[in-house]
Amino acid sequence: MHQRILILDYGSQVTQLIARRVRDAGVYCEIHPGDVDDAFIQAQQGLKGIILSGSHASAYAEESMKVPSAVFTVGVPVLGICYGMQSMASQLGGKVEWSDHREFGYAEVRAHGHTRLLDGLQDFITTEGHGMLKAWMSHGDKVTALPPGFKLMASTPSCPIAGMADEDRSFYALQFHPEVTHTTQGEAILARFVTEICGCNRDWSMPDYVEEAVANIRAQVGTDEVILGLSGGVDSSVAAALLHKAIGDQLTCVFVDHGLLRLNEAEQVMATFADHFGIKVIHVNATDVFMGELEGVSDPEAKRKIIGREFVEVFQAEAGKLPNARWLAQGTIYPDVIESAGSKTGKAVAIKSHHNVGGLPDTLNLKLLEPLRELFKDEVRKLGVALGLPPAMVYRHPFPGPGLGVRILGEVRKEYADLLRRADAIFIEELRKTIDPISNKSWYELTSQAFAVFLPVKSVGVMGDGRTYDYVVALRAVQTSDFMTADWAELPYALLKKVSSRIINEVRGINRVTYDVSSKPPATIEWE
């Protein structure tokens, strides 16, 4: 059994990033609701430390979740983050109040007291000799009085108590968020907490995880047959490889062509998995069904629900042809769960739904198998490489489950999908061909996700001596390490110029190309 860090979730949108940073440090962790009871805390085997997440709530509000008292008595180090710090202060005898000067975004934090958590970690030194951290804040309340036994660990001009510590009990708390990439030393802070302060071994890695996952799948499935919805994306591809390694011919993959795939996707998927890997794949062409159901529908959530519903119906039909099928496998990963507010707490604010999150209808008569549900995208990729999948497949950009259905704004039509997939293919082709001279990598490698979006508007243009009135596409390319936050990619103008020229000249029906320069937040990576 792995030594573990327990993360208690109080509803923050970035709680899962804490887990990602802990796992990056080679330490296993689990996320559980913040209101678990004392018995749950006391029953944790291999527990080495506890981290309390942030929240949109106020620690002093009557309806807010309280930290289980066992957290502070079980005898392991505790780290409170934002709301976690405020709850720690409030419950241990300090004071938390509403602040008339809220902090959201970049902050420069001064470290105090040479505590074990922050000692030696700094981004720059002031002229007065103070070590400073570049951090990300997101809070409206603040601690105004330290609990007994605590000392000041960090401060900002508007937040005099931005960090506190009781080193006799190994209790630490930060008002800023070390889990987000905007906190420069955040990774080092969390790694220090779990490895040095909690004393965890670095025994969590994807190559080692393969055999553990295989054993878990075999124990769960037994001799039953499993159906997997294979999209050709990274998540479902890795899930297919993992399941095939675990149960072999008990796995049947169902590849649904809903008319919303990338250019030549169906042919590539069938060639890769059926021909090369020898995995059983059923190819279902359901384009007419999906397009018919989506006709006249423009609301993004309605489109997602329709696509998800039709997927389930296709799987149900295919399952009926397999008399021993008992499981439906999906490539669900952590980010899917987070953005659907379907994490184990269910208390985060929903951003959008995912077609593969939220359970299955009773009529399906299949149990749900999600072998990647607790893994982040980077862990899924590492797992894929460990399973022997080609790096070109594993490091392919993510593709949404609903496909081009959420990259066509408004109503989905076959005409729009045909235009979009050709424009998207040109964009990706040029990203792969264009090499950055500094890094010597292609711009496809330098971006985390890139795609074209179809806009259901027309604009006037001139081609040759004639007037055109055609559609518009937007290009989107982002750079991110965790897909929870992302910056738009500063692609070279020459690259954008070439992509625009090729799309307008080669895709008849499009006469204008724009580039999206929005970051996440406030925007999401996908447009819908």
Side-chain angles (χ1 to χ4, degrees), residues 23-238:
R23 292 186 186 183
D24 282 347
V27 175
Y28 179 71
C29 61
E30 290 183 357
I31 296 175
H32 290 279
D35 56 357
V36 295
D37 59 23
D38 288 345
F40 177 86
I41 303 292
Q42 294 159 350
Q44 292 293 303
Q45 296 185 3
L47 182 64
K48 300 290 287 183
I50 299 172
I51 300 177
L52 311 175
S53 86
S55 175
H56 55 278
S58 294
Y60 50 76
E62 285 296 325
E63 67 275 12
S64 297
M65 285 190 288
K66 306 302 179 187
V67 177
S69 59
V71 167
F72 304 117
T73 60
V74 75
V76 299
V78 181
L79 173 63
I81 298 173
C82 195
Y83 177 89
M85 169 174 164
Q86 295 164 9
S87 293
M88 182 185 291
S90 178
Q91 293 180 223
L92 295 181
K95 190 174 183 180
V96 179
E97 296 178 337
W98 176 81
S99 175
D100 58 1
H101 188 102
R102 300 182 297 172
E103 287 184 298
F104 294 99
Y106 175 77
E108 294 180 352
V109 180
R110 177 185 169 186
H112 297 265
H114 304 289
T115 59
R116 288 183 67 193
L117 186 65
L118 300 182
D119 188 25
L121 298 178
Q122 60 191 30
D123 291 307
F124 65 95
I125 299 175
T126 66
T127 54
E128 296 83 8
H130 301 145
M132 304 293 291
L133 297 167
K134 296 178 180 179
W136 190 68
M137 290 277 198
S138 181
H139 68 100
D141 300 329
K142 63 183 179 182
V143 176
T144 56
L146 292 169
F150 279 78
K151 65 179 180 180
L152 183 66
M153 183 168 66
S155 67
T156 70
S158 60
C159 185
I161 304 177
M164 62 183 193
D166 179 344
E167 298 207 276
D168 290 339
R169 291 185 287 178
S170 294
F171 291 171
Y172 298 87
L174 302 169
Q175 186 58 67
F176 59 90
H177 288 263
E179 68 271 31
V180 301
T181 54
H182 302 77
T183 298
T184 312
Q185 298 294 333
E187 186 174 348
I189 291 170
L190 287 169
R192 175 173 290 179
F193 177 73
V194 299
T195 59
E196 296 181 24
I197 294 174
C198 297
C200 292
N201 298 325
R202 295 177 182 263
D203 62 355
W204 175 254
S205 69
M206 286 303 99
D208 296 337
Y209 178 70
V210 170
E211 294 306 319
E212 182 180 329
V214 165
N216 289 339
I217 291 168
R218 288 173 179 168
Q220 189 173 4
V221 171
T223 59
D224 294 339
E225 289 187 12
V226 177
I227 298 177
L228 168 70
L230 179 63
S231 69
V234 175
D235 304 332
S236 66
S237 297
V238 173

Side-chain angles (χ1 to χ4, degrees), residues 227-349:
I227 298 177
L228 168 70
L230 179 63
S231 69
V234 175
D235 304 332
S236 66
S237 297
V238 173
L242 179 60
L243 288 165
H244 186 65
K245 181 177 178 64
I247 58 175
D249 287 344
Q250 292 170 242
L251 171 68
T252 299
C253 293
V254 178
F255 177 71
V256 180
D257 186 349
H258 48 24
L260 300 168
L261 301 171
R262 288 168 288 196
L263 192 66
N264 301 322
E265 183 110 44
E267 295 83 354
Q268 292 172 5
V269 169
M270 294 302 295
T272 299
F273 286 93
D275 301 341
H276 182 67
F277 290 107
I279 298 175
K280 289 190 294 184
V281 183
I282 297 172
H283 183 188
V284 182
N285 190 337
T287 300
D288 292 342
V289 173
F290 277 83
M291 289 297 176
E293 292 296 321
L294 290 167
E295 184 177 356
V297 179
S298 59
D299 179 73
E301 281 297 287
K303 290 193 294 184
R304 286 177 177 272
K305 287 181 169 64
I306 289 169
I307 293 170
R309 182 191 70 212
E310 293 305 314
F311 263 106
V312 170
E313 291 187 4
V314 171
F315 290 140
Q316 189 167 13
E318 296 303 322
K321 303 173 186 177
L322 299 170
N324 198 34
R326 298 291 182 270
W327 299 87
L328 172 63
Q330 295 183 155
T332 309
I333 65 171
Y334 257 166
D336 299 337
V337 176
I338 299 164
E339 291 200 330
S340 297
S343 65
K344 293 175 181 176
T345 67
K347 295 183 174 66
V349 177

Side-chain angles (χ1 to χ4, degrees), residues 260 291 294-304 306-307 404-414 416-417 420 453-457 527-528:
L260 300 168
M291 289 297 176
L294 290 167
E295 184 177 356
V297 179
S298 59
D299 179 73
E301 281 297 287
K303 290 193 294 184
R304 286 177 177 272
I306 289 169
I307 293 170
L404 300 182
V406 292
R407 292 180 179 173
I408 298 172
L409 302 194
E411 182 184 5
V412 176
R413 298 182 185 176
K414 186 177 185 302
Y416 298 167
L420 179 58
V453 178
F454 182 88
L455 308 184
V457 296
W527 278 41
E528 288 192 342

